[in-house]
């Protein structure tokens, strides 16, 4: 158990819908990272937040957005869902701003878009 | 963005055999990491490498940071059934972004 929690574990929805994935970082960690893992693209970094502020952006689509709240939990919002958005979405957390900080991954949310 | 080439994509070995996998990049990384992912779980960090030429062990696992900073390898000695899973290399791009290899799926025949 990494100490990072993600809900829900599974999510099934239809194209065009919007969903919210939630992540609670390890106690004391200030950074939250979101990753997408699909069969054809592998693990892709989406976005990082540090202490409530966006810190780094990766291959995140405009239909996706995230935020980190004052209690440091984070939400990833996916809208206008397409079939290709079906994937595992992982959240990770680390103590500091990033760099060589160890990132601890949550168990993931499996999103299926029908 | 940068791409990591990880090989082999899959391995089928007998229990007790040694395993070797590697990652190469066209660009330099300043940090290399190796993760293992079990089914239904998130990746778990196995070894982190911070200096070119660094050789680091974690139990039966040994990883090295290539001196060109463009490659890394992971060795597992005397494999056991719980070593089954997918192994990922990752390089730290810039200050925050992890770039992952495509993974090596390890299957062990008892």
């Amino acid at each position: 158990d990494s100490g990072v929690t993600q809900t829900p574990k599974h999510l099934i929805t239809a194209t065009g819908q919007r969903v919210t994935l939630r992540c609670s970082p390890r106690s004391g960690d200030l950074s939250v990272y979101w990753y997408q893992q699909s069969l054809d693209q592998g693990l892709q970094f989406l976005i990082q937040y540090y202490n409530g502020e966006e810190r780094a952006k990766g291959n995140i689509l405009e239909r996706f957005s995230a935020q980190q709240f004052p209690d440091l939990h984070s939400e990833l919002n996916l809208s206008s869902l397409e079939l290709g958005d079906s994937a595992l979405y992982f959240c990770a957390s680390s103590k500091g701003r990033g760099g060589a900080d160890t990132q601890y991954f949550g168990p993931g949310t499996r999103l299926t878009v029908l | 963005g940068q791409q990591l080439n990880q090989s082999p994509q899959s391995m089928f070995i007998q229990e007790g055999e040694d395993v070797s996998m590697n990652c190469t990049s066209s660009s330099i990384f300043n940090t290399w990491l190796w993760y293992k992912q079990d089914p239904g779980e998130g990746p778990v960090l196995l070894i982190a490498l911070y200096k070119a030429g660094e050789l680091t062990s974690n139990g039966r696992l040994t990883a090295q940071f290539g001196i060109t900073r463009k490659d890394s390898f992971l060795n597992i000695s005397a494999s056991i059934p719980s070593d089954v899973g997918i192994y990922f290399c990752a390089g730290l791009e810039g200050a925050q972004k992890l770039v992952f290899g495509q993974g090596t799926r390890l299957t062990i025949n008892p």
Side-chain angles (χ1 to χ4, degrees), chain B residues 20-94:
Chain B
S20 186
M21 59 192 78
N22 69 82
C23 257
T24 60
S25 168
S26 56
S27 304
I28 287 171
F29 286 108
N30 290 318
T31 300
W32 282 91
L33 305 158
W34 285 92
Y35 285 84
K36 181 185 179 220
Q37 186 175 17
D38 291 328
E41 304 287 334
V44 174
L45 182 66
L46 298 174
I47 292 180
L49 302 158
Y50 302 107
K51 285 193 325 187
E54 181 180 353
L55 185 71
T56 296
S57 292
N58 178 6
R60 293 177 297 104
L61 277 59
T62 302
Q64 183 156 29
F65 191 149
I67 57 172
T68 66
R69 293 194 283 159
K70 292 183 179 180
D71 63 314
S72 176
F73 72 75
L74 175 71
N75 286 342
I76 305 173
S77 62
S79 58
I80 59 177
S82 62
D83 291 334
V84 165
I86 304 177
Y87 292 79
F88 291 96
C89 62
L92 187 64
E93 180 181 287

Side-chain angles (χ1 to χ4, degrees), chain A residues 9-108:
Chain A
K9 195 162 177 61
H10 300 279
L11 199 47
I12 301 174
T13 188
T15 54
Q17 295 297 306
R18 172 191 165 96
V19 297
T20 298
L21 312 184
R22 184 187 166 104
C23 168
S24 292
R26 293 187 326 148
S27 177
D29 284 0
L30 298 178
S31 276
V32 168
Y33 311 76
W34 286 98
Y35 292 86
Q36 179 193 59
Q37 185 177 38
S38 59
L39 281 173
D40 56 342
Q41 295 287 328
L43 258 168
Q44 300 270 321
F45 167 72
L46 296 178
I47 198 164
Q48 177 203 359
Y49 279 81
Y50 172 77
N51 206 18
E53 301 286 327
E54 182 185 305
R55 178 137 177 94
K57 220 167 185 175
N59 304 320
I60 188 166
L61 300 172
E62 284 191 15
R63 299 183 285 109
F64 297 179
S65 65
Q67 55 183 328
Q68 186 179 28
F69 295 86
D71 67 353
L72 301 176
H73 90 271
S74 177
E75 291 181 357
L76 178 67
N77 300 298
L78 315 176
S79 61
S80 302
L81 285 167
E82 301 174 359
L83 295 177
D85 297 328
S86 295
L88 266 169
Y89 291 85
F90 288 105
C91 165
S93 73
S94 72
K95 276 204 178 331
R97 288 183 174 82
D101 276 354
T102 298
Q103 294 184 27
Y104 294 88
F105 283 75

